[in-house]
Amino acid sequence: METDIQRLTRFYADFEKLVHNREKVSIQQLTTQYARSYNTLVAEVMDGAVWFHRKYLEVFAFPTHPKDEAGNKWLAQKIASIDAEEKQIGRLTEQFRAALIDRLDMDKYENLVYFSYERRRLDIFDPYWQRHNKWVGPPERRLVYNDIFNKYWWPKTQEHPDSGCWVNSDYSGRDYRFPPQLKEEIE
C-alpha cells in the first residue's frame, strides 16, 4: 500500500518526467512515435492531480458540529453540488489538464486546487461556521464563543500581540483557523 508521501512523490516525479520529455522530444514525436508511453505518463500525471486535489480537501476538511444534523446535511449537499459541478466538461479536471499537460505549469495547478478549497470555504463553510459563533459574557468583557471548537475568540490587542485565535477558557489550545465575523466585529 502506497503512503500519501509516496503517492505525492510519485505525482511530482511523473510531472517532472513529463516536463523533461516535452523539453527533449517534440510533441509530434511524443504523440506518434512514443504515443503509448506518453499517453500512459499523461494519464499518471492526471491521476496524481485528481488524487492530490481529493487529498487536499480531505486533509483540510471542515470541522462540523455533531448535533447540527440539518446544518451538516446542508453542508454535505452543498459540497457534493460543487464536486459535481467541478467534474463537468470544461471545469476543474480539464483545467488541471490544461495547467499540467498543456502548459506544464505546476503553480497554476496548485492555485486551482487552492481556489477550489477556498470556494468551498467562503461560499459554503463560512455561513455554516459563522452560525456557530455566539457573543457571550457581559458587554465590557464580551467574547465570541464557537460551539464547534468549544473555544473562545481571543482578540488581537497591543497588550496581547500573539492573540487573534481561538482558545480554551484557560487560554490554551490555540487555533488560528476560521476567525469570527459577527456584526459587532472584534478588532
Side-chain angles (χ1 to χ4, degrees):
M1 181 85 174
E2 191 174 42
T3 67
D4 289 345
I5 296 296
Q6 291 168 329
R7 182 64 183 102
L8 184 61
T9 301
R10 183 164 58 96
F11 170 51
Y12 283 123
D14 288 341
F15 178 73
E16 289 306 316
K17 184 176 180 181
L18 178 69
V19 170
H20 176 77
N21 288 350
R22 292 273 295 274
E23 288 172 349
K24 301 295 181 192
V25 182
S26 73
I27 190 72
Q28 184 179 1
Q29 278 185 299
L30 288 171
T31 56
T32 56
Q33 186 177 352
Y34 303 110
R36 187 179 202 172
S37 59
Y38 177 73
N39 291 337
T40 299
L41 180 59
V42 166
E44 283 296 315
V45 170
M46 288 306 300
D47 183 57
V50 171
W51 170 85
F52 179 83
H53 178 246
R54 185 179 42 77
K55 184 56 74 171
Y56 188 93
L57 296 177
E58 182 183 307
V59 167
F60 294 106
F62 302 119
T64 58
H65 195 287
K67 293 181 181 174
D68 186 3
E69 292 177 18
N72 294 343
K73 182 178 178 182
W74 175 86
L75 185 67
Q77 288 172 339
K78 291 292 190 179
I79 289 173
S81 172
I82 287 181
D83 289 344
E85 181 184 314
E86 288 179 344
K87 290 177 185 172
Q88 293 176 356
I89 294 174
R91 299 301 252 177
L92 194 63
T93 303
E94 289 188 21
Q95 292 173 17
F96 289 169
R97 182 178 181 81
L100 292 170
I101 310 306
D102 300 341
R103 289 189 223 103
L104 302 176
D105 189 344
M106 181 61 79
D107 290 338
K108 174 69 174 168
Y109 163 74
E110 289 173 345
N111 281 335
L112 288 168
V113 171
Y114 172 75
F115 287 121
S116 172
Y117 172 82
E118 278 299 286
R119 179 179 177 206
R120 286 166 173 77
R121 185 182 70 79
L122 295 174
D123 295 351
I124 299 171
F125 179 69
D126 199 53
Y128 171 87
W129 174 257
Q130 296 304 334
R131 69 186 223 163
H132 288 276
N133 294 330
K134 312 221 180 339
W135 287 106
V136 295
E140 66 277 0
R141 296 186 57 218
R142 276 171 66 158
L143 293 174
V144 176
Y145 177 76
N146 180 275
D147 64 1
I148 295 174
F149 278 171
N150 292 319
K151 295 184 180 202
Y152 298 89
W153 182 254
W154 185 22
K156 190 174 196 115
T157 63
Q158 288 181 343
E159 301 86 40
H160 302 285
D162 292 334
S163 56
C165 59
W166 296 103
V167 294
N168 296 325
S169 58
D170 64 355
Y171 295 96
S172 66
R174 294 180 183 183
D175 194 323
Y176 295 89
R177 299 174 298 162
F178 316 120
Q181 297 175 16
L182 297 173
K183 294 294 180 202
E184 299 171 15
E185 187 66 61
I186 301 172
E187 295 296 327

